[in-house]
């Protein structure tokens, strides 16, 4: 018994036909769109990095007028500006004062704003809605208007030229915004978590500390970062309320390089680069939670 195999004829035209291109799915970018978007992101990154790179470049010029002819810096780059700032100025005193003020503002401001935001989000006491609007009203007044009454208050309680006085002044600026931010973030956390905590026998504060705060880390990171930057870069209050040059913050210390008839811009550039180090380090520690906190905090008002 023999078997025969029947082979299906293959159409040469069909085999030579190129395969159809894969259809682009919804939400999927084409290759050209991807190249354009990446090109735009690269250009935007270069634009954002250029001021920082330019500041570092100017800090390597030994003369105060090198910014007028930056091309000559290439031939005489030096670290003498950094050596002078670190050895001949009070930059370490400024660093100590800045860290005390910024970390104190961050800690106190985040604690007050977190408890305030949680109370308004979860508790219904008389006037809780008006209370949040009152916080916003406090942000409507310019610094020039607040300077005199704040100075008088701090003088009466003997907090002029005192770290605590400056910290409290900064908290009056950061707490209203951070309270709104934390209130919006707490609104995104299910209320059933609070009920589960009460069923387990936790007090309201225990529920807040042990259950809610761990879930609110992104919001806390944003509030901490905002408080840190506000206290770190503020000039008007710090230059008015801190009288001793050893208690200057970095922002005020930079002004010592500028006089009525002269400005040592090379030393200012070197000091500015040194100032950026603490901020960059703080940003590195909180950057994982910043994006989540910024987006989630605005989902509910």
């Amino acid at each position: 018994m023999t078997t025969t195999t029947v082979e299906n004829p293959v159409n040469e035209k069909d085999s030579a036909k190129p395969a159809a291109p894969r259809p682009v799915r919804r939400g999927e970018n084409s290759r050209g769109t991807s190249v354009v978007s990446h090109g735009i992101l690269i250009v935007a990154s270069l634009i954002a990095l250029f001021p920082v790179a330019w500041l570092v470049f100017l800090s390597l010029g030994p003369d105060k007028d090198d910014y007028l002819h930056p091309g000559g810096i290439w031939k005489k780059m030096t670290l003498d500006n950094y050596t002078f700032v670190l050895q001949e100025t009070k930059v370490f005193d400024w660093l100590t004062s800045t860290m005390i003020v910024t970390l104190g503002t961050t800690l106190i401001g985040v604690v007050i704003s977190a408890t305030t935001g949680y109370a308004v989000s979860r508790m219904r006491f008389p006037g809780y809605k008006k209370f949040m609007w009152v916080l916003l009203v406090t942000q409507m007044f310019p610094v020039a208007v607040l300077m005199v009454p704040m100075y008088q208050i701090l003088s009466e309680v003997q907090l002029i030229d005192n770290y605590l006085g400056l910290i409290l002044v900064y908290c009056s600026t950061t707490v209203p915004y951070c309270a709104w931010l934390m209130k919006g973030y707490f609104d995104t956390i299910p209320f059933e978590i609070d009920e589960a905590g009460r069923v387990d026998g936790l007090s309201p504060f225990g529920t807040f500390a042990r259950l809610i705060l761990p879930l609110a880390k992104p919001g806390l990171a944003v509030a901490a970062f905002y408080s840190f930057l506000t206290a770190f870069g503020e000039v008007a209050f710090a230059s008015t309320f801190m009288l001793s040059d050893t208690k200057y913050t970095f922002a005020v210390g930079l002004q010592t390089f500028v006089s009525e008839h002269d400005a040592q811009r090379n030393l200012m550039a070197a000091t500015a680069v040194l100032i950026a180090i603490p901020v960059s380090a703080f940003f590195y520690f909180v950057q994982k939670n910043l994006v989540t906190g910024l987006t989630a905090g605005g989902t509910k008002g």
Side-chain angles (χ1 to χ4, degrees):
M1 182 177 179
T2 60
T3 59
T4 58
T5 302
V6 179
E7 297 182 355
N8 294 326
V10 179
N11 192 341
E12 295 181 356
K13 294 183 180 181
D14 294 338
S15 61
K17 185 182 299 183
R22 183 176 64 88
V24 179
R25 299 178 180 177
R26 179 181 299 178
E28 183 180 359
N29 295 328
S30 63
R31 184 177 181 85
T33 304
S34 179
V35 171
V36 172
S37 61
H38 281 76
I40 294 175
L41 291 176
I42 292 174
V43 173
S45 299
L46 293 176
I47 293 174
L49 291 175
F50 176 77
V52 180
W54 186 252
L55 181 66
V56 175
F57 178 68
L58 291 180
S59 69
L60 299 176
D63 300 327
K64 62 182 179 181
D65 295 328
D66 281 337
Y67 74 98
L68 296 175
H69 38 81
I73 297 179
W74 292 105
K75 300 178 181 180
K76 52 182 180 180
M77 284 187 177
T78 179
L79 297 177
D80 290 344
N81 293 329
Y82 294 94
T83 303
F84 180 87
V85 170
L86 293 175
Q87 295 181 355
E88 304 297 332
T89 67
K90 299 180 179 179
V91 64
F92 291 105
D93 292 332
W94 303 342
L95 174 62
T96 302
S97 300
T98 301
M99 290 297 99
I100 292 174
V101 172
T102 53
L103 295 180
T105 302
T106 301
L107 179 61
I108 297 176
V110 170
V111 170
I112 296 176
S113 60
T115 52
T116 301
Y118 179 75
V120 176
S121 176
R122 292 297 196 265
M123 303 174 186
R124 294 298 177 262
F125 52 88
Y128 73 97
K129 291 184 177 180
K130 295 181 180 179
F131 173 73
M132 296 300 291
W133 288 108
V134 169
L135 290 180
L136 283 184
V137 171
T138 61
Q139 305 299 295
M140 297 172 58
F141 301 97
V143 174
V145 175
L146 299 175
M147 192 74 69
V148 174
M150 282 188 173
Y151 191 92
Q152 292 178 344
I153 294 173
L154 293 180
S155 297
E156 293 178 358
V157 296
Q158 298 181 354
L159 289 180
I160 294 294
D161 200 25
N162 187 287
Y163 293 130
L164 179 59
L166 189 60
I167 290 172
L168 294 177
V169 170
Y170 287 157
C171 286
S172 67
T173 302
T174 61
V175 167
Y177 171 79
C178 293
W180 271 92
L181 173 71
M182 295 306 303
K183 190 263 182 186
Y185 195 87
F186 287 136
D187 287 344
T188 64
I189 299 177
F191 188 74
E192 288 75 14
I193 296 179
D194 300 71
E195 296 178 347
R198 287 196 294 268
V199 170
D200 292 338
L202 294 176
S203 64
F205 182 79
T207 302
F208 170 70
R210 299 179 61 180
L211 300 181
I212 303 301
L213 282 185
L215 299 176
K217 286 182 179 180
L220 294 173
V222 176
F225 191 65
Y226 174 79
S227 301
F228 187 92
L229 288 185
T230 299
F232 196 93
E234 202 278 331
V235 178
F237 288 132
S239 59
T240 303
F241 299 146
M242 306 304 286
L243 306 180
S244 303
D245 56 355
T246 56
K247 292 185 178 180
Y248 285 168
T249 60
F250 270 140
V252 181
L254 278 175
Q255 295 181 343
T256 61
F257 297 113
V258 180
S259 62
E260 184 177 358
H261 303 289
D262 189 18
Q264 297 172 314
R265 291 180 172 83
N266 56 329
L267 299 180
M268 291 180 64
T271 308
V273 173
L274 296 175
I275 289 175
I277 295 176
V279 178
S280 302
F282 188 80
F283 176 79
Y284 175 78
F285 286 114
V286 301
Q287 55 90 19
K288 293 181 180 180
N289 297 315
L290 279 180
V291 175
T292 304
L294 286 171
T295 55
T299 55
K300 291 186 179 182

